[in-house]
Amino acid sequence: MRHDWFKFGKYGLFIHFGLYSILAGEYNGKRTDFLSEWIMLSLDIPKEEYEKLTERFNPVNFDADYICSKAKEWGMKYICFTSKHHDGYALYRSYVSPYNSFDNSLCHRDFVRELADTCKKHGLVLCLYYSQAQDWHHEDGYRAYKDNSKINFRRYLDEKCIPQIKEILTNYGDIGMLWFDTPMGMTKEESKELVDIVRSIQPDCLINGRIGNDLGDYMTTQDNRIPAYPIKKMWEMPATLNSSWGYKYYDEDWFPPENVMQKFLNIVARGGNYLLNIGPKGDGSIPEESVKILDVIGEWLKRNGEAIYGTQAIDTYVYEAPDLRFTHKPNELFVHVLSPKRFEGRQISLQNIANTVVNVEWLGQPELSADNILRISKTLEGDPYWGLNIPKNLKETMVLTAKITTEEKEFIQKML
């Protein structure tokens, strides 16, 4: 089924790359206060001036094999690449519009082809971002925060959008998902038309929530926004490692690995997928800070991945537990303790969980004893009580995870 890889995967790599990566957030000495990839619109760069960036576009350090091997090392299961962003420039050989990285650049490269081949080699699912409504290069594409009352959107759909969607679905093998964005004024009929085209060419290709008009296969949250409670249907949060999606050379607002890890657990514990972005530089290289952060998350996943991949959301734990996150599979409950060094040698109370325990172990910590991890009893009121004993002499780690095997498939709570 087309949903299976997405439900299991939980973690994907978003890649925002394009002509805007050359500018890195600055044009003619002026820095944008907005997202780097929106610089053409936010700084009102004339189309003719922006087009000149193609003469400089030669990302010699964009290495699809390196990117895919790192994504796999980081524990990611899918890659989503910007085949065409709002600026209208396609990063593949488009026979519909010459405004693309093969026909109109210094490098003459088809980046979608490069990633399609290497994703297949590394066992990753290839997904493609495509801006279906906004196109600042085509005179009839939408422009955010501008007057669009005089555009002929139908002409843009027929001349560029629909033919390009057909191209990327036809020329690059299996596409796991088309990731649409900012539908703006698209009607339900227009969104449905695109859905039908995708289904007719690749029936197993997922469509994200931003196709518009509630026609996606799953819910896409707002950027960097995590739902506050578990959601049992499929959903995904697109997120950055700093403030911008495309590369911005002066954006030093990097999130520490501990912060990224906590977000990851918040998302997965609430049933979602984490689509985490890198913005390569104009030369195609990945910012060192991104690599450092993702290396740390990847090392944790190597030891604890079974507590993430293929897990499901549980109902909200009955008590507030700011230092704990729960993930779940049939007959398995994973309890994640954040910053566990704070609780070294102490017992964390888990009350009102009514499952029958079969086995308990620490994940990814072979040096820790499996003895006396969980004390099972009852409270004075007769409610179930688990006491999770955090070991002494604990190594510094972002998260300590206990795997609790239970007789029951489902997570059972005795509600208040």
Side-chain angles (χ1 to χ4, degrees):
M1 293 181 63
R2 66 174 180 262
H3 301 154
D4 290 348
W5 68 265
F6 184 84
K7 288 180 178 178
F8 175 82
K10 294 298 177 186
Y11 193 29
L13 178 66
F14 217 168
I15 305 173
H16 274 69
F17 185 58
L19 296 179
Y20 46 82
S21 306
I22 299 172
L23 296 178
E26 183 175 285
Y27 174 70
N28 283 349
K30 183 176 181 181
R31 293 180 176 183
T32 179
D33 294 327
F34 198 50
L35 304 170
S36 172
E37 68 278 8
W38 284 64
I39 192 168
M40 180 182 176
L41 187 77
S42 60
L43 294 188
D44 293 318
I45 303 175
K47 183 171 75 170
E48 296 74 17
E49 289 298 311
Y50 194 80
E51 286 176 346
K52 292 178 182 178
L53 293 172
T54 63
E55 301 168 9
R56 298 164 51 191
F57 193 52
N58 186 26
V60 293
N61 292 318
F62 187 98
D63 184 338
D65 191 70
Y66 173 75
I67 290 171
C68 289
S69 63
K70 288 301 291 184
K72 193 169 183 179
E73 182 182 316
W74 292 332
M76 292 157 169
K77 302 300 183 183
Y78 58 107
I79 284 180
C80 187
F81 179 70
T82 49
S83 67
K84 188 207 79 170
H85 208 277
H86 306 324
D87 63 356
Y89 188 68
L91 292 181
Y92 68 95
R93 188 176 192 180
S94 173
Y95 298 92
V96 173
S97 167
Y99 194 54
N100 68 76
S101 62
F102 189 91
D103 297 305
N104 194 345
S105 74
L106 189 60
C107 65
H108 303 294
R109 291 170 64 179
D110 185 328
F111 296 95
V112 172
R113 168 64 61 203
E114 294 173 19
L115 283 167
D117 292 343
T118 51
C119 279
K120 187 174 181 180
K121 171 185 171 182
H122 291 281
L124 296 164
V125 176
L126 174 65
C127 308
L128 294 175
Y129 172 109
Y130 187 88
S131 176
Q132 81 276 26
Q134 289 202 75
D135 191 306
W136 308 328
H137 188 262
H138 194 288
E139 63 182 19
D140 289 308
Y142 279 116
R143 288 157 176 77
Y145 316 118
K146 305 290 183 179
D147 179 10
N148 293 289
S149 61
K150 297 180 181 179
I151 68 169
N152 182 356
F153 186 65
R154 185 70 245 177
R155 188 171 76 165
Y156 158 70
L157 284 177
D158 291 335
E159 287 184 355
K160 190 172 184 181
C161 175
I162 290 173
Q164 285 195 332
I165 288 173
K166 289 179 179 178
E167 284 183 328
I168 58 180
L169 288 172
T170 302
N171 297 336
Y172 299 97
D174 292 338
I175 304 300
M177 167 174 40
L178 276 188
W179 212 98
F180 294 106
D181 200 13
T182 62
M184 294 188 58
M186 290 183 67
T187 65
K188 187 168 186 176
E189 291 74 23
E190 289 166 343
S191 294
K192 180 66 162 52
E193 183 177 2
L194 298 189
V195 170
D196 289 344
I197 290 168
V198 175
R199 294 283 179 261
S200 69
I201 301 173
Q202 292 205 32
D204 290 334
C205 181
L206 279 176
I207 297 171
N208 77 319
R210 294 189 187 176
I211 184 64
N213 297 291
D214 297 318
L215 292 174
D217 290 312
Y218 68 87
M219 183 184 82
T220 307
T221 72
Q222 294 295 308
D223 295 348
N224 290 297
R225 302 295 291 181
I226 304 174
Y229 51 83
I231 297 175
K232 295 299 180 75
K233 66 181 182 180
M234 296 193 305
W235 64 274
E236 176 187 63
M237 187 190 83
T240 56
L241 287 169
N242 54 1
S243 297
S244 187
W245 298 84
Y247 176 66
K248 186 190 286 188
Y249 78 90
Y250 49 91
D251 182 358
E252 297 294 339
D253 190 22
W254 298 100
F255 299 119
E258 295 80 6
N259 179 279
V260 176
M261 189 72 240
Q262 182 169 335
K263 290 176 181 177
F264 195 0
L265 288 173
N266 287 346
I267 291 164
V268 177
R270 296 166 194 171
N273 283 31
Y274 198 14
L275 183 58
L276 191 51
N277 181 72
I278 57 170
K281 299 178 182 180
D283 67 358
S285 60
I286 304 173
E288 292 181 3
E289 293 82 357
S290 296
V291 175
K292 289 177 183 177
I293 295 167
L294 295 175
D295 278 349
V296 173
I297 307 302
E299 283 299 316
W300 186 89
L301 281 169
K302 287 176 185 177
R303 301 188 304 271
N304 299 277
E306 69 173 287
I308 299 296
Y309 306 119
T311 57
Q312 306 159 354
I314 63 171
D315 293 328
T316 302
Y317 178 54
V318 67
Y319 288 107
E320 288 188 346
D323 302 306
L324 304 177
R325 301 293 182 271
F326 301 89
T327 55
H328 180 261
K329 292 178 180 177
N331 301 101
E332 294 175 345
L333 177 67
F334 301 94
V335 181
H336 306 274
V337 183
L338 307 180
S339 303
K341 193 75 174 172
R342 295 176 298 161
F343 305 100
E344 190 175 33
R346 295 163 53 190
Q347 186 174 99
I348 296 177
S349 298
L350 295 169
Q351 298 170 349
N352 290 62
I353 300 177
N355 289 81
T356 306
V357 176
V358 175
N359 186 59
V360 187
E361 60 182 291
W362 296 115
L363 278 188
Q365 303 284 347
E367 71 279 5
L368 296 180
S369 172
D371 297 331
N372 194 34
I373 297 177
L374 196 67
R375 175 191 164 209
I376 302 172
S377 63
K378 289 189 176 183
T379 68
L380 295 177
E381 292 74 28
D383 295 323
Y385 176 89
W386 293 358
L388 187 64
N389 295 309
I390 307 302
K392 296 179 181 178
N393 303 317
L394 191 64
K395 288 182 181 179
E396 194 66 49
T397 181
M398 297 183 297
V399 181
L400 180 64
T401 300
K403 175 183 176 181
I404 303 173
T405 306
T406 65
E407 286 186 2
E408 302 84 4
K409 284 187 176 182
E410 301 300 326
F411 176 64
I412 304 173
Q413 298 188 73
K414 182 179 178 182
M415 304 305 288
L416 300 179

